[in-house]
């Protein structure tokens, strides 16, 4: 659902956008990808976007059930998955209303991620997947990288490849951390394998998989589902446990 709050914040984000970072633009799209111009008040009129569309803070982007979109500007990759809605406040600042996105950059930077209820800033470089949760927060899933993530209430935490953090509440804090199967993510995530160009960090992700396998030694596999509240997280286990 499109949230009314976005309409009122559009003017503020537009002023800040051109002062901060590069301007993202669409470099690849497939399926249905629509936008709504938030600068036009009292009018909701979605329209399709295409390659080379400039992704200003006024544009709220929504992908369909088979839609995906990528922005790659000066080596800063952003990918939106299917049934995702959000907007770029700048090339280093993204608001995710629903769905999932991937961020990838080999150079150190500070990247702000925000959702309906939560926000955090990542300092460093790496390949990160963000998934919005029903409670208004998000899952922060580093596949590889180096740096730390910081919230207003939860302080900062060093990132570890394959270790998922929950970002919850406003002011935001961290929930529990969970080790996930990076190889499973690599095989199953369309954010990684359903785009024409491979990520520049693919070899680093492979190294993170190797390190994780050495540490976990195949003891378990788990899928982390949605977070429907700040105290409820869905977890599914599968396969046989190896002693």
């Amino acid at each position: 659902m499109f949230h009314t709050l976005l309409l009122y914040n559009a003017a503020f984000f537009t002023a800040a956008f051109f002062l901060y970072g590069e301007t993202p633009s669409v470099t690849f799209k497939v399926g249905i990808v629509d936008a709504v111009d938030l600068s036009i008040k009292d009018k909701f009129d979605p329209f399709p976007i295409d390659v080379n569309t400039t992704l200003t803070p006024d544009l709220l982007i929504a992908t369909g059930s088979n839609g995906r979109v990528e922005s790659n500007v000066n080596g800063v990759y952003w990918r939106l998955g299917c049934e995702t809605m959000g907007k770029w406040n700048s090339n280093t600042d993204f608001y995710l209303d629903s769905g999932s996105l991937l961020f990838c950059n080999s150079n150190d930077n500070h990247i702000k991620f925000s959702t309906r209820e939560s926000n955090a800033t990542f300092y460093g470089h790496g390949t990160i997947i963000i998934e919005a949760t029903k409670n208004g927060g998000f899952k922060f899933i580093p596949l590889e990288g180096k740096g730390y993530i910081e919230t207003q209430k939860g302080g900062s935490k060093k990132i570890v490849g394959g270790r998922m953090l929950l970002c919850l509440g406003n002011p935001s804090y961290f929930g529990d951390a969970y080790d996930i199967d990076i190889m499973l993510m690599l095989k199953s995530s369309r954010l990684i394998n359903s785009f024409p160009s491979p990520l520049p960090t693919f070899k680093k992700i492979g190294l993170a998989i190797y390190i994780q396998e050495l540490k976990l030694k195949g003891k378990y596999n788990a899928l982390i589902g949605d977070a429907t509240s700040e105290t409820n997280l869905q977890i599914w286990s599968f396969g046989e446990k190896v002693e």
Side-chain angles (χ1 to χ4, degrees):
M1 189 177 83
F2 289 87
H3 294 275
T4 306
L5 181 60
L6 289 173
L7 299 174
Y8 296 107
N9 288 339
F12 170 79
F13 287 131
T14 300
F17 179 80
F18 295 102
L19 300 176
Y20 192 69
E22 297 285 344
T23 303
S25 61
V26 177
T27 52
F28 169 80
K29 63 150 284 191
V30 66
I32 296 175
V33 182
D34 290 335
V36 173
D37 190 340
L38 299 176
S39 67
I40 304 175
K41 301 297 178 65
D42 303 321
K43 186 178 181 181
F44 184 82
D45 189 15
F47 59 91
I49 63 171
D50 212 332
V51 174
N52 296 324
T53 298
T54 301
L55 297 165
T56 69
D58 286 330
L59 292 184
L60 182 64
I61 308 299
T63 61
S65 58
N66 292 310
R68 296 184 298 279
V69 65
E70 178 181 73
S71 170
N72 172 17
V73 177
N74 293 333
V76 179
Y77 286 77
W78 292 94
R79 292 177 174 180
L80 269 62
C82 63
E83 298 182 344
T84 293
M85 185 164 58
K87 70 189 189 77
W88 279 266
N89 298 323
S90 79
N91 206 29
T92 55
D93 185 342
F94 192 89
Y95 170 83
L96 181 65
D97 186 89
S98 58
S100 60
L101 69 90
L102 179 145
F103 167 81
C104 177
N105 187 14
S106 298
N107 298 316
D108 286 340
N109 212 323
H110 60 282
I111 311 297
K112 183 178 180 180
F113 302 106
S114 57
T115 52
R116 287 182 285 114
E117 292 292 333
S118 304
N119 64 82
T121 302
F122 167 61
Y123 299 88
H125 61 269
T127 309
I128 313 293
I129 289 178
I130 302 293
E131 295 183 2
T133 53
K134 291 181 181 179
N135 60 18
F138 61 89
K139 294 183 283 185
F140 178 89
I141 309 171
L143 301 180
E144 62 80 28
K146 185 176 182 179
Y148 63 95
I149 181 173
E150 184 176 80
T151 60
Q152 181 179 352
K153 190 176 178 180
S156 63
K157 288 184 178 292
K158 182 180 178 180
I159 71 161
V160 177
R163 182 161 298 166
M164 185 198 79
L165 287 170
L166 287 172
C167 187
L168 305 167
N170 184 17
S172 300
Y173 62 94
F174 295 114
D176 293 335
Y178 298 88
D179 286 323
I180 64 165
D181 191 329
I182 307 176
M183 177 61 79
L184 179 64
M185 292 287 293
L186 188 65
K187 291 179 178 179
S188 62
S189 176
R190 291 185 177 181
L191 288 169
I192 301 171
N193 53 44
S194 293
F195 287 79
S197 299
L199 293 169
T201 55
F202 197 81
K203 290 184 179 179
K204 293 180 179 179
I205 296 174
L207 178 60
I209 291 172
Y210 176 71
I211 293 172
Q212 185 182 66
E213 288 180 345
L214 288 178
K215 290 180 178 179
L216 300 181
K217 297 181 180 178
K219 288 186 177 179
Y220 68 90
N221 290 308
L223 278 176
I224 308 298
D226 199 2
T228 55
S229 70
E230 292 187 8
T231 58
N232 182 28
L233 177 67
Q234 299 166 340
I235 302 178
W236 296 273
S237 297
F238 61 95
E240 295 182 1
K241 184 176 179 181
V242 179
E243 299 295 345

